[in-house]
Amino acid sequence: MDFYGYMRPNGKAGARNYVLLLPVNRSLNFIASNVERMTRNTHHFEIPAETGRTEVDREVIARTLIGLMNNANVGGIVLLAVK
């Protein structure tokens, strides 16, 4: 049997067992929250509106999203977007 996890710095094993739902705009937050509620091991992060935000604020939001996506427990990311 193969284990597709990772080793934590303290030597214990960890598992990538969460799917992160990222809606690309605020109108999709409702869909992301419903998907999260109906499925196991999914979490969503509501992206705040960028209208009227300064460049520094947008950079903080971007760094936060990158940090969430690089979290060791995140095994996959689903971007929700509309055409």
Side-chain angles (χ1 to χ4, degrees):
M1 182 170 143
D2 293 325
F3 176 69
Y4 297 105
Y6 63 97
M7 293 303 294
R8 297 178 190 264
N10 65 3
K12 293 184 178 182
R16 289 168 172 51
N17 54 353
Y18 291 108
V19 174
L20 182 62
L21 303 171
L22 290 177
V24 297
N25 60 33
R26 287 176 43 127
S27 63
L28 295 170
N29 285 335
F30 176 74
I31 294 172
S33 65
N34 283 334
V35 171
E36 177 183 20
R37 190 170 44 251
M38 294 186 305
T39 57
R40 291 180 41 201
N41 294 336
T42 58
H43 295 285
H44 86 282
F45 178 78
E46 292 192 11
I47 298 174
E50 289 196 13
T51 306
R53 299 219 180 249
T54 65
E55 183 177 349
V56 173
D57 287 345
R58 290 191 305 272
E59 288 175 7
V60 169
I61 292 169
R63 284 196 313 270
T64 302
L65 292 174
I66 291 168
L68 287 169
M69 291 185 274
N70 287 323
N71 185 293
N73 290 323
V74 174
I77 301 163
V78 177
L79 291 175
L80 301 173
V82 293
K83 182 176 177 183

